[in-house]
Amino acid sequence: MREVAIVGVGCTGFKSVTPEISYKEMMFEAATRAYQDAGNINPRKDIDAFISVAEDYWEGFSIFDEFVPDQLGAVLRHLFTVSGDSIIGLATAYMLIKTGYFNTVALESHGKPSDILTLHDIVSFAMDPILNRPLGGHPFYVAGMEMNRFLCTTGNTRDQCAMIVAKNKGNALSNAFAAYGANVDVEDVLNSDMQFYPLKKIEISKPADGGIVIILASDKVATKLNENPVWIKGVGWASETPSLETRCWSKAIYARLAAEMAYKKAGIMTPSVEVDFAEVDDLFSYKELQHMEALKLCRSGEAGKLTEEGITQLDGYLPINPSGGMLGMGWPLEAAGLQRLQEVVLQLRGQAGNRQLSDVEIGVAQSWRGIPTATGAVAVLSNYKG
Amino acid sequence: MAIEKITDTRQMLHWPGHMETDYIYTLGIACEKFFIEIKENGRILGAKCKHCNYVFVPPKLYCEKCFAKLAEWVDLGIQGVVHTFTVAHIDINGTELKDPEIYALIKFNGAEGGLVHKLGEVRPSQVRIGMKVEAVFKPQPNRKGNINDIKYFKPRE
Ligand SMILES: [Zn+2]
């Protein structure tokens, strides 16, 4: 069976604003770095197909797909856009190579939220126009409602959510790509403004601009392009009902189903033992706990305790979000999944600098499409072809 | 190190973009029946799947569990329970609200789904998960057949 590896990553880094470059220049920079990282390949002849992950409303264009090829070196080539989170884009790229039609695929995603003057109106416009939108309000009230039910049902605590913020912003201090690294403690978090009870202002990841390009290759060419390919052992994705009224408000069912699909493909039977570390969606602090439980990295109600005991810190036995997550790196819209994935690749290559974990072989990256969706994706990666 | 950073690039050389996007959304068969019942009779209806024994609120024409077409309607009354809630302290522009708004998912006895709505006639500090509430409708002549025909839900007794 044909295997698929990641042979190149390129990233602009993430910043709260990027007035100096356009979104096209941002994509160009990430692509240039990725092609360099994958053995200095020339996209005009060495890449078989291109995928961009983008949504028109985030970009401010109708039919944004058409604005993609030139800055990736993909003019007159084979390209399409996936709307969804960028790990869903990864799944698409993975399958393209699995078909045997393509040996190399470039996958791109970026966010430039500082260009968007009405970001939360766009989120609000994603809610049901008949049942939810007429109520008005800031759409993140959905997160406050979910956090409340999650804590009430699982027994994880308010303070344990605050510890996530302290850990992730702290990890981000060692990450040059991160926009929002800071030394904060639990008290700072609890003193932050209440925005959507029980969710505090500092527990909501802040938007950040930045782009990432990932180069995937079949095992036929992977080791020629990179001496240390990182192998994709499994991918999965799933959607729960979009309806706020009938979905589960305590568990991330979408992430559980996506993880089960990815683990099955990767042959992972006991994730809590076999997975060495994970990068999970932490758009809101409690989401890290909820996603850890959904990914079976611990039992339901246990994620907060593991956090409190320091087990998810860089030196713990199950580090979560060593990159700093989105609380530390910033929320780059559709590029959120590739931001998680990139850290898994860097850690498995041993290139994570001061935050490098020791003895890691299997890492998991997980994404969520954000409010108001119930869609997520999971990728299982390893530095062993196995 | 500053935790808050500048996120407004309007000071830079730029071209302003504006998307005019106006739509109308027709309600469809199930929601139209649901909202006409609220408008005319002040009743909340669910749609029952007899295969799954599952009652959808708001009603749908199809069962999202078994994909059957739904045709059986159930009157759920106007009383429910707070499944979860939040207190919003800012509006969509980030401006602090003078009077924080309480949003909740209200579930009804005998149904699996519920309605997302606001709570009223209650202080934020008094709201609890599991609290019993009931719908407060606008006066009948003012109802238009939409979700805001319900003003809010208020605590029962
Ligand atoms: Zn059914």
Side-chain angles (χ1 to χ4, degrees):
Chain A
M1 191 66 184
R2 214 172 152 81
E3 300 295 326
V4 182
I6 291 168
V7 296
V9 292
C11 179
T12 57
F14 295 90
K15 292 201 237 172
S16 56
V17 288
T18 48
E20 71 280 11
I21 49 171
S22 71
Y23 74 95
K24 281 203 180 228
E25 291 160 346
M26 179 185 282
M27 291 166 72
F28 174 69
E29 183 185 330
T32 303
R33 288 170 187 256
Y35 299 143
Q36 168 73 33
D37 189 52
N40 201 15
I41 53 174
N42 177 356
R44 304 297 294 147
K45 58 181 181 61
D46 299 328
I47 298 289
D48 297 337
F50 300 80
I51 296 175
S52 176
V53 179
E55 299 258 8
D56 287 4
Y57 274 99
W58 288 141
E59 304 297 338
F61 293 84
S62 302
I63 321 182
F64 178 72
D65 322 31
E66 292 297 311
F67 289 83
V68 167
D70 45 331
Q71 63 270 35
L72 296 180
V75 169
L76 303 174
R77 303 296 299 285
H78 315 294
L79 173 138
F80 59 78
T81 298
V82 172
S83 83
D85 176 83
S86 42
I87 293 184
I88 294 174
L90 179 85
T92 312
Y94 171 82
M95 291 187 289
L96 281 187
I97 292 177
K98 281 277 187 186
T99 62
Y101 277 113
F102 307 92
N103 277 312
T104 50
V105 175
L107 169 66
E108 185 276 342
S109 192
H110 65 277
K112 206 166 189 303
S114 72
D115 274 359
I116 306 172
L117 301 182
T118 51
L119 187 117
H120 297 113
D121 293 84
I122 295 174
V123 177
S124 186
F125 211 63
M127 294 176 67
D128 187 286
I130 308 291
L131 297 163
N132 307 140
R133 267 194 243 161
L135 295 175
H138 192 303
F140 283 5
Y141 73 73
V142 174
M145 285 169 59
E146 187 182 51
M147 180 177 182
N148 201 3
R149 185 74 198 177
F150 168 69
L151 295 182
C152 162
T153 310
T154 59
N156 289 302
T157 68
R158 191 358 333 151
D159 286 13
Q160 288 164 345
C161 295
M163 289 169 200
I164 299 288
V165 180
K167 170 177 72 70
N168 290 1
K169 282 186 173 289
N171 288 354
L173 286 173
S174 308
N175 186 349
F177 291 139
Y180 297 103
N183 273 318
V184 297
D185 58 25
V186 168
E187 205 173 319
D188 294 327
V189 178
L190 297 178
N191 287 335
S192 167
D193 290 347
M194 182 66 81
Q195 288 201 327
F196 307 96
Y197 171 87
L199 189 64
K200 306 256 177 169
K201 184 178 182 185
I202 199 173
E203 293 181 283
I204 301 173
S205 294
K206 301 218 167 21
D209 298 355
I212 296 186
V213 171
I214 304 266
I215 313 298
L216 295 88
S218 72
D219 52 356
K220 250 175 80 181
V221 299
T223 42
K224 285 182 213 149
L225 299 174
N226 192 316
E227 287 176 353
N228 299 306
V230 171
W231 301 94
I232 302 174
K233 309 304 287 182
V235 290
W237 66 96
S239 295
E240 219 224 310
T241 174
S243 152
L244 295 180
E245 292 80 7
T246 51
R247 69 172 53 164
C248 175
W249 281 82
S250 54
K251 293 178 185 160
I253 307 280
Y254 55 88
R256 168 60 60 94
L257 296 176
E260 283 175 346
M261 179 179 169
Y263 290 148
K264 188 177 173 198
K265 183 80 188 60
I268 288 180
M269 314 292 285
T270 319
S272 59
V273 176
E274 292 171 73
V275 173
D276 295 319
F277 70 102
E279 282 278 319
V280 305
D281 177 283
D282 65 338
L283 182 56
F284 308 103
S285 61
Y286 72 94
K287 276 290 184 184
E288 176 167 315
L289 300 176
Q290 192 189 42
H291 287 145
M292 282 170 64
E293 295 178 2
L295 297 180
K296 299 184 178 177
L297 299 175
C298 59
R299 285 193 291 270
S300 177
E302 223 178 53
K305 203 170 110 251
L306 295 191
T307 306
E308 196 167 342
E309 289 168 358
I311 284 159
T312 62
Q313 305 265 13
L314 290 181
D315 58 358
Y317 74 76
L318 182 62
I320 304 291
N321 284 329
S323 68
M326 283 194 278
L327 287 163
M329 293 186 78
W331 171 38
L333 312 179
E334 302 299 80
L338 286 193
Q339 199 190 51
R340 307 279 67 70
L341 187 85
Q342 170 181 252
E343 178 70 7
V344 175
V345 172
L346 295 178
Q347 291 286 353
L348 290 172
R349 283 180 176 181
Q351 294 176 343
N354 287 346
R355 62 185 193 284
Q356 180 63 48
L357 308 170
S358 53
D359 301 326
V360 284
E361 288 178 19
I362 292 178
V364 168
Q366 178 261 333
S367 64
W368 168 49
R369 286 187 84 187
I371 299 285
T373 82
T375 294
V378 170
V380 180
L381 277 69
S382 176
N383 42 22
Y384 282 84
K385 193 176 173 190
Chain B
M1 185 175 295
I3 296 171
E4 303 292 336
K5 291 184 182 176
I6 295 164
T7 52
D8 186 352
T9 59
R10 275 172 283 197
Q11 301 308 314
M12 307 300 297
L13 202 58
H14 63 269
W15 182 261
H18 177 68
M19 246 198 295
E20 195 126 331
T21 51
D22 297 327
Y23 300 85
I24 58 159
Y25 301 95
T26 56
L27 270 57
I29 295 162
C31 264
E32 179 139 343
K33 185 173 170 73
F34 178 70
F35 283 116
I36 283 175
E37 201 59 34
I38 285 179
K39 179 176 176 231
E40 292 179 356
N41 304 314
R43 295 198 311 167
I44 293 168
L45 295 185
K48 182 174 181 177
C49 177
K50 55 177 189 266
H51 307 288
C52 301
N53 200 25
Y54 191 104
V55 177
F56 288 92
V57 195
K60 298 179 187 240
L61 200 61
Y62 43 84
C63 175
E64 64 182 39
K65 301 205 170 289
C66 74
F67 207 56
K69 188 168 175 183
L70 306 184
E72 191 180 334
W73 293 83
V74 186
D75 182 352
L76 294 166
I78 62 165
Q79 301 188 330
V81 169
V82 173
H83 184 70
T84 188
F85 71 95
T86 188
V87 184
H89 291 262
I90 56 169
D91 69 11
I92 196 162
N93 301 311
T95 310
E96 197 166 334
L97 290 164
K98 214 167 71 201
D99 298 309
E101 294 174 333
I102 310 166
Y103 292 86
L105 176 68
I106 292 103
K107 291 214 171 197
F108 301 90
N109 194 16
E112 304 297 331
L115 288 178
V116 176
H117 220 294
K118 291 180 189 171
L119 299 186
E121 299 181 36
V122 61
R123 284 207 304 275
S125 60
Q126 295 172 318
V127 182
R128 296 283 177 271
I129 287 175
M131 182 182 241
K132 293 173 179 175
V133 292
E134 67 180 32
V136 176
F137 295 90
K138 286 180 179 165
Q140 206 280 332
N142 300 347
R143 292 183 213 153
K144 297 198 168 86
N146 66 47
I147 192 74
N148 289 323
D149 285 354
I150 300 173
K151 279 162 73 180
Y152 48 74
F153 284 75
K154 68 167 188 185
R156 225 186 310 159
E157 94 268 301

